[in-house]
Amino acid sequence: MTVDNGKSDLVYHGRRAQRADSRLRRKAILEATLRLIVKEGIRGIRHRAVAREANVPLAATTYYFKDLNDLISDSFTYFVEQGLESTRQLQEESFSAARNLSSQERASSSSHKLLVQQLTRFILTHVRNQAEDRDRRLVELAFRNEALRNEQLTRAVRMSNHARESLIQEFFHLLGVVDPEAAAQIAHGTILKLEYEILSDSIALDSPLLERTVTMMVRGLIPATATQVAETAAYG
């Protein structure tokens, strides 16, 4: 299944469902798997446990997922597709903030400051919203840890990272950042780190350190002079 406008392919490995009722049952199995991961972690995933959680016959889980690795990998793909919308929303807000400034406005230090403030606010809201959804963050961390032992899941996590980073990279390309790929790596890594710090109670949601960190990251990644930035945004 293709996401991110074709830039990354997140592939489902289990048996495909053709009929509407079959698709609903397959979806119920995937969602039950995610709930079990919250309760017990990846190691708690067994066909019988998933069938019980999904309230479907055991034969249904083994029909769609003969291999547990396929079930785990497809659950992650489903999880990623549900979560990419929040990243797209962050991208759209960021693009809007950049495009709303004219070439002349972009060239001024005051507009650059305003853009930094807007992006900082967008990212802070995104990080806080993500961290407040504790169950999804627990699931994400469980998948990422399991990927260190599961080659099939490693590929899925890698493609997930690429899908998110491609969205972020497009924004830095719009701004004319010299190395948008590296900038996307820094931004994505910082966001994941802050989400983890909040989840583990190392940083409070309203901590001044959270805002200072995001502000410093944004200032460091977005060029202070915007002549080439304005031209890139106008014609890119």
Side-chain angles (χ1 to χ4, degrees):
M1 181 169 291
T2 302
V3 297
D4 187 29
N5 299 322
K7 292 185 176 63
S8 298
D9 290 327
L10 294 174
V11 181
Y12 282 114
H13 295 277
R15 187 189 297 268
R16 294 185 179 274
Q18 303 299 330
R19 302 193 313 272
D21 58 339
S22 297
R23 290 194 294 271
L24 287 174
R25 175 166 283 190
R26 193 180 192 280
K27 178 182 176 182
I29 292 170
L30 295 175
E31 291 179 342
T33 303
L34 296 178
R35 290 196 300 271
L36 276 178
I37 292 173
V38 173
K39 297 175 185 177
E40 303 179 27
I42 295 285
R43 296 303 174 182
I45 302 304
R46 296 290 183 271
H47 280 299
R48 191 172 300 279
V50 171
R52 183 167 53 249
E53 179 71 24
N55 195 26
V56 300
L58 176 60
T61 64
T62 56
Y63 173 78
Y64 291 112
F65 307 100
K66 292 182 179 180
D67 190 326
L68 275 179
N69 282 340
D70 287 347
L71 173 57
I72 293 170
S73 178
D74 282 10
S75 297
F76 178 71
T77 298
Y78 176 76
F79 172 83
V80 169
E81 288 184 334
Q82 303 306 303
L84 273 176
E85 185 57 37
S86 63
T87 304
R88 286 195 181 96
Q89 182 179 352
L90 175 62
Q91 183 206 40
E92 289 169 5
E93 291 173 340
S94 301
F95 269 53
S96 177
R99 287 173 172 152
N100 282 342
L101 297 176
S102 68
S103 299
Q104 292 77 15
E105 289 172 329
R106 286 173 183 274
S108 71
S109 59
S110 60
S111 292
H112 176 265
K113 181 179 180 181
L114 176 61
L115 181 59
V116 168
Q117 290 173 341
Q118 290 177 320
L119 293 178
T120 297
R121 186 172 70 253
F122 295 154
I123 293 173
L124 281 172
T125 299
H126 175 81
V127 168
R128 286 167 175 153
N129 288 342
Q130 292 286 92
E132 285 181 324
D133 194 344
R134 185 177 179 83
D135 285 356
R136 284 191 64 83
R137 301 289 71 77
L138 289 176
V139 168
E140 185 173 24
L141 288 170
F143 277 128
R144 291 185 180 279
N145 288 334
E146 181 65 17
L148 299 176
R149 296 182 289 264
N150 183 322
E151 184 177 347
Q152 184 170 304
L153 190 55
T154 299
R155 292 194 298 271
V157 168
R158 186 164 55 242
M159 287 187 285
S160 164
N161 287 339
H162 179 69
R164 288 195 177 102
E165 287 162 9
S166 291
L167 293 173
I168 300 171
Q169 187 175 330
E170 286 180 21
F171 170 72
F172 288 119
H173 179 73
L174 168 69
L175 285 181
V177 172
V178 175
D179 191 343
E181 184 177 12
Q185 287 276 334
I186 293 169
H188 188 215
T190 301
I191 289 171
L192 291 177
K193 171 70 161 49
L194 291 175
E195 290 172 3
Y196 179 83
E197 293 293 324
I198 295 171
L199 195 66
S200 62
D201 294 326
S202 297
I203 298 179
L205 280 171
D206 58 352
S207 169
L209 176 59
L210 184 63
E211 183 167 357
R212 295 204 313 271
T213 302
V214 174
T215 300
M216 181 173 288
M217 178 191 73
V218 174
R219 283 176 178 166
L221 293 177
I222 297 179
T225 57
T227 303
Q228 68 185 66
V229 172
E231 293 175 356
T232 302
Y235 302 108

